[in-house]
Amino acid sequence: MLYILRLNHRIKRDKRITTHCALTGRAFGADGMIFTGEKDDNIVKSVEDIIKRWGGEFKISYSSRWQNFLTKMKEQNYTIVHLTMYGIQLLEAIPKIRRKKNLVVIVGGEKVPSEIYEKADYNISVGLQPHSEVAALAVFFHEYFKGKELTREFDEIKFKKGLKIVPQKKGKKLIKK
Ligand code: SAM
């Protein structure tokens, strides 16, 4: 199982980016996302609307304390990966991380508490420049799954019902299951 922990959500500033962390995770192989910071029912609602229309079993929820969530996941032998521009380079660490099947992937917000760097099993940089939570997640998943996340037959694994895109040279084709 693969979960995202998104830290320090701010209702006014992060509405889209937190939603996009969840949608990117969902599209590229995560099983769920927990967000901390300000409680925001709209994030849960908009991600659940997408799941309702497009299918899948992605879980989205809020937690007021990331400490409790991380303790619980560590007890269950999850490997904690924190994405930060200050960490070890992704390409150096990914062969080891790929061997772990249960992961929590943490992305921060404006400020990341120093305890996160300590609690993480791996602090990983996706390039050595500041960019975005969404980009960091997408590139991390791409390397973790070696690109297979792009062609996975979603409907057989998770998508029992929902919309399915049939790729077209031009125009749009959708099947509703
Ligand atoms: N100072 C932050 C850092 O440590 O990466 C950049 C803040 S950025 C607005 C918010 C989040 O995006 C970070 O907490 C991190 O999870 C992710 N992020 C941004 N740039 C990254 C990079 N080069 N490598 C890995 N993660 C990055």
Side-chain angles (χ1 to χ4, degrees):
M1 300 295 274
L2 215 156
Y3 289 100
I4 297 166
L5 171 62
R6 195 279 194 267
L7 301 170
N8 199 19
H9 169 72
R10 296 159 301 175
I11 292 179
K12 277 209 179 122
R13 297 187 53 180
D14 297 328
K15 182 176 180 291
R16 276 172 62 84
I17 200 142
T18 300
T19 305
H20 288 180
C21 285
L23 298 186
T24 300
R26 172 186 170 274
F28 297 147
D31 296 287
M33 186 178 96
I34 285 83
F35 66 100
T36 66
E38 294 174 3
K39 189 170 188 301
D40 188 347
D41 294 338
N42 286 324
I43 299 290
V44 176
K45 193 180 166 309
S46 42
V47 174
E48 282 180 347
D49 280 349
I50 294 278
I51 299 166
K52 220 176 270 168
R53 279 196 293 138
W54 289 88
E57 288 161 7
F58 190 83
K59 304 265 182 292
I60 172 88
S61 63
Y62 170 80
S63 170
S64 57
R65 283 183 57 79
W66 57 262
Q67 291 89 340
N68 297 354
F69 173 70
L70 277 193
T71 305
K72 194 178 82 190
M73 299 311 262
K74 273 183 166 253
E75 279 166 10
Q76 294 176 36
N77 278 324
Y78 273 73
T79 299
I80 313 298
V81 177
H82 169 219
L83 301 181
T84 166
M85 64 182 177
Y86 302 107
I88 303 295
Q89 296 243 40
L90 176 64
L91 292 182
E92 187 186 325
I94 200 72
K96 271 193 191 154
I97 299 176
R98 262 197 217 111
R99 289 189 218 125
K100 315 282 183 188
K101 296 301 165 217
N102 292 321
L103 294 187
V104 175
V105 183
I106 305 176
V107 286
E110 202 181 28
K111 244 185 164 223
V112 175
S114 59
E115 290 156 272
I116 291 286
Y117 292 82
E118 295 308 315
K119 287 207 186 293
D121 298 300
Y122 296 93
N123 289 292
I124 297 297
S125 63
V126 180
L128 300 177
Q129 299 294 320
H131 46 78
S132 113
E133 297 85 317
V134 178
L137 284 171
V139 174
F140 176 81
F141 286 129
H142 191 61
E143 287 300 324
Y144 180 75
F145 290 117
K146 294 185 177 171
K148 291 199 177 77
E149 78 289 354
L150 297 175
T151 50
R152 190 165 64 135
E153 270 303 322
F154 268 43
D155 51 346
E156 275 173 27
I157 304 166
K158 293 184 171 178
F159 282 52
K160 296 187 181 84
K161 67 177 184 146
L163 293 171
K164 185 178 171 182
I165 290 173
V166 183
Q168 301 292 298
K169 272 192 183 158
K170 292 183 184 187
K172 302 174 187 173
K173 189 170 176 185
L174 280 171
I175 296 172
K176 198 168 181 343
K177 293 182 88 183

